[in-house]
Amino acid sequence: MRALRALRPRRLLAMAAAAAAAAAGSAGARRGPVLTPESMNPAVRRVEYAVRGPIVIRAMEIEQELRKGVPKPFSEVIKANIGDAHAMGQQPITFLRQVAALCLCPELMKDESLPSDAKERAQRLLGACGGQSVGAYSASPGVQLVREDVARYIERRDGVPAQPDNIFLSTGASDAIVNILKLLVCGSGSSRTGVLIPIPQYPLYSAALAELEAAQVNYYLAEERCWALDVAELRRALAEGRRRCNPRALCIINPGNPTGQVQSRECIEQVIKFAYEEKLFLLADEVYQDNVYAEGSAFHSFKKVLMELGPPYADSVELASFHSISKGFMGECGLRGGYMEVVNLHPEVKAELSKLVSVRLCPPVLGQMILDTIVDPPKPGEPSYERFQAEKEAVLSALAEKARMTEEIFNRTPGIHCNPVQGAMYSFPRIDLPPRAVAAAKEKKQSPDMFFCMRLLEETGICVVPGSGFGQKEGTYHFRMTILPPPEKLRILLDKLSSFYTKFVQEFS
């Protein structure tokens, strides 16, 4: 009897524990996830980014299938969807990587095979880093020494003063663009901020505006005039935008992505005067400023033209311009470096911008080091100068040749219409699609150019991005393709794509 009484508390404890476990299990069964497709931020669901969208996901799946031995009518996927120069075989610029290596591993200073100017640059840069290490945080707007070098670069480029305090280093250009948009966006309903963006556009802009719940106001580039920017079209877009939002900013991509046009100085002057008259903040995306190929084309920075226009424009039009180490001749996409210069920004707003960038602590310091080598490259007489110049010129001359090749081969094919690739790294050809192809796309609930690009990928292994991901005039169809593959591979790609297009049209005619 005494033994039974001794067991009773244990039994009661066990029963209580079982009841608690059952209750917990029951509660667990009732408790659904906090975050569901229905409860997540609806703005994020509206974000789309075509250059890494569904077609690229399928390209990656096909690569996996090829590795597993799944039979395909091709041996590799050629990713011509994104401006990733090194992924397409471009070799890094030696001086940039030598300085990067020295910054990461200062013990290499003892290596006699490395040039003295690369060592001096690395020592100078490390001296500006906390603890003389690229592993330390920098100031949030970037290493002060690099900001000073960027300001001197802008002065040499434009012939007008630049102040280091107006320079904010960034994680590529994208991060800086989004930060400026964050400052601009406010209001709701008809007072919601609107931003004029070019169509076709780089999808960063539409994605960022969707995430920030700002209004996208489209202005169309004139394809029939080599994607020219027309101020009359800006006025039409602005009037349309004002019926539904409060347009406060105008974005220009020059040289153009995806369209490859280079705006004339006269056009830039007209845009600045338009922004002044309509009280618009200017965003000048100039990351392709080194990539100008067409005869008669030249890069003119918005900052230079603005300053040379003088008052009232030079002292009142607000401008943020952007540059990056990802493009140009360097193609250092993965190192994530860039800068933004702000002009005529209200001092209190600039203080808020400084606060905003501080939330992310700082841009990658190694990217800042690479940026410094680009804005302050080797000088004549220095050990690295000749090799640096030769490598830079080889990259740019190869891109110029590939731009000409792309236009020429595409335009040989009836039904493909390709404007001259004046600059940047892409072609954006228009393709005529038969009504039966359009109907077949509708059945699959795809845009016609997505249908074409997906078939192209499945049958040839060529990955390009449908024009609908960038925006295009209703009833027209395009695709964007990089011109970055090596010349011999690019020629094969262009011939295969053109042949596929001809076969596709015959199938659906």
Side-chain angles (χ1 to χ4, degrees):
M1 199 68 181
R2 191 179 299 157
L4 287 171
R5 278 198 300 269
L7 284 171
R8 193 174 299 151
R10 292 182 195 170
R11 189 178 300 152
L12 289 171
L13 284 170
M15 290 172 64
S26 173
R30 286 197 305 270
R31 184 197 183 279
V34 172
L35 197 57
T36 66
E38 294 72 32
S39 67
M40 69 178 283
N41 182 349
V44 174
R45 292 180 67 84
R46 291 192 289 272
V47 171
E48 294 183 5
Y49 192 64
V51 295
R52 290 183 183 264
I55 201 153
V56 183
I57 293 168
R58 178 58 188 143
M60 293 169 71
E61 291 171 352
I62 291 174
E63 284 183 320
Q64 293 286 348
E65 292 169 10
L66 284 169
R67 279 193 277 272
K68 291 175 183 175
V70 177
K72 300 282 180 186
F74 48 86
S75 59
E76 66 171 332
V77 173
I78 302 175
K79 290 181 181 172
N81 61 294
I82 195 166
D84 191 348
H86 293 182
M88 300 304 292
Q90 180 179 310
Q91 293 303 299
I93 302 295
T94 303
F95 181 75
L96 276 57
R97 289 301 183 87
Q98 287 173 335
V99 173
L102 287 157
C103 286
L104 283 167
C105 302
E107 60 269 26
L108 291 174
M109 299 287 181
K110 298 171 186 173
D111 188 333
E112 293 183 3
S113 68
L114 293 171
S116 59
D117 54 344
K119 292 176 182 178
E120 289 162 8
R121 175 63 61 87
Q123 287 171 333
R124 179 173 177 263
L125 289 168
L126 288 172
C129 294
Q132 298 199 346
S133 171
V134 291
Y137 289 129
S138 74
S140 295
V143 173
Q144 182 63 22
L145 175 70
V146 180
R147 296 170 75 198
E148 291 167 0
D149 286 345
V150 170
R152 280 190 286 269
Y153 160 79
I154 293 170
E155 288 182 354
R156 290 193 307 274
R157 184 194 69 187
D158 295 343
V160 295
Q163 302 301 323
D165 285 351
N166 290 334
I167 308 295
F168 292 79
L169 307 189
S170 57
T171 308
S174 303
D175 208 40
I177 291 165
V178 171
N179 276 334
I180 286 293
L181 289 173
K182 285 178 181 176
L183 289 174
L184 282 159
V185 171
C186 64
S188 60
S190 60
S191 68
R192 181 174 57 146
T193 293
V195 180
L196 280 79
I197 65 171
I199 298 296
Q201 53 108 21
Y202 178 53
L204 164 69
Y205 294 95
S206 55
L209 294 175
E211 182 182 353
L212 296 170
E213 300 190 282
Q216 176 179 318
V217 181
N218 297 337
Y219 68 88
Y220 289 87
L221 301 175
E223 183 173 11
E224 68 281 4
R225 290 188 288 116
C226 204
W227 301 111
L229 193 165
D230 189 343
V231 171
E233 169 59 14
L234 290 181
R235 294 193 189 285
R236 181 209 63 77
L238 184 65
E240 182 274 324
R242 282 178 172 158
R243 288 195 286 271
R244 58 186 175 88
C245 65
N246 177 25
R248 303 179 68 204
L250 166 61
C251 168
I252 299 96
I253 308 173
N254 181 49
N257 175 11
T259 44
Q261 86 286 359
V262 179
Q263 302 296 358
S264 68
R265 183 193 171 90
E266 179 187 9
C267 173
I268 293 170
E269 287 184 4
Q270 291 174 354
V271 169
I272 290 170
K273 291 176 180 177
F274 171 78
Y276 172 80
E277 292 162 10
E278 301 295 346
K279 203 173 181 183
L280 295 171
F281 191 111
L282 281 176
L283 290 84
D285 183 336
E286 299 174 336
V287 302
Y288 295 99
Q289 60 189 260
D290 290 309
N291 302 104
V292 177
Y293 319 120
E295 192 174 334
S297 294
F299 171 73
H300 302 280
S301 79
F302 267 76
K303 162 78 177 297
K304 175 184 173 70
V305 178
L306 175 61
M307 291 299 108
E308 290 182 350
L309 279 174
Y313 311 104
D315 53 11
S316 62
V317 173
E318 295 145 288
L319 168 70
S321 55
F322 310 93
H323 196 15
S324 168
I325 68 173
S326 299
K327 309 304 176 186
F329 58 91
M330 41 283 182
E332 293 285 6
C333 301
L335 291 176
R336 311 309 298 135
Y339 75 77
M340 161 176 64
E341 182 186 22
V342 294
V343 177
N344 292 325
L345 201 62
H346 190 288
E348 290 182 29
V349 174
K350 193 159 80 169
E352 293 297 323
L353 175 59
S354 297
K355 181 183 74 176
L356 188 60
V357 300
S358 72
V359 173
R360 300 288 182 89
L361 294 175
C362 69
V365 174
L366 189 61
Q368 297 183 50
M369 306 295 97
I370 295 292
L371 176 63
D372 191 83
T373 65
I374 291 160
V375 299
D376 186 17
K379 299 173 181 60
E382 294 181 345
S384 299
Y385 175 76
E386 289 188 8
R387 183 174 187 177
F388 176 85
Q389 285 296 114
E391 290 176 347
K392 174 183 175 180
E393 288 166 13
V395 170
L396 293 176
S397 63
L399 284 168
E401 177 55 36
K402 290 186 283 189
R404 286 189 290 272
M405 183 198 303
T406 301
E407 177 195 355
E408 179 189 333
I409 292 178
F410 275 150
N411 285 330
R412 281 186 204 152
T413 307
I416 301 181
H417 316 273
C418 184
N419 272 323
V421 181
Q422 297 175 326
M425 297 178 171
Y426 317 96
S427 62
F428 195 68
R430 187 175 83 252
I431 49 175
D432 299 335
L433 295 179
R436 282 184 58 212
V438 175
K442 191 174 181 180
E443 284 178 22
K444 284 186 169 283
K445 297 183 178 176
Q446 292 178 341
S447 65
D449 44 13
M450 172 62 88
F451 177 66
F452 171 82
C453 291
M454 197 63 83
R455 283 281 302 269
L456 173 72
L457 173 64
E458 296 285 355
E459 296 182 30
T460 70
I462 296 171
C463 179
V464 297
V465 189
S468 49
F470 300 87
Q472 54 197 350
K473 282 191 175 175
E474 188 73 28
T476 68
Y477 309 110
H478 300 77
F479 61 86
R480 189 191 80 161
M481 188 196 83
T482 71
I483 61 169
L484 289 171
E488 62 282 359
K489 186 174 277 192
L490 179 63
R491 184 173 291 277
I492 293 168
L493 185 159
L494 293 167
D495 287 337
K496 280 180 73 174
L497 201 158
S498 299
S499 297
F500 171 83
Y501 170 77
T502 301
K503 177 170 146 295
F504 179 90
V505 169
Q506 288 170 349
E507 179 185 344
F508 287 97
S509 292

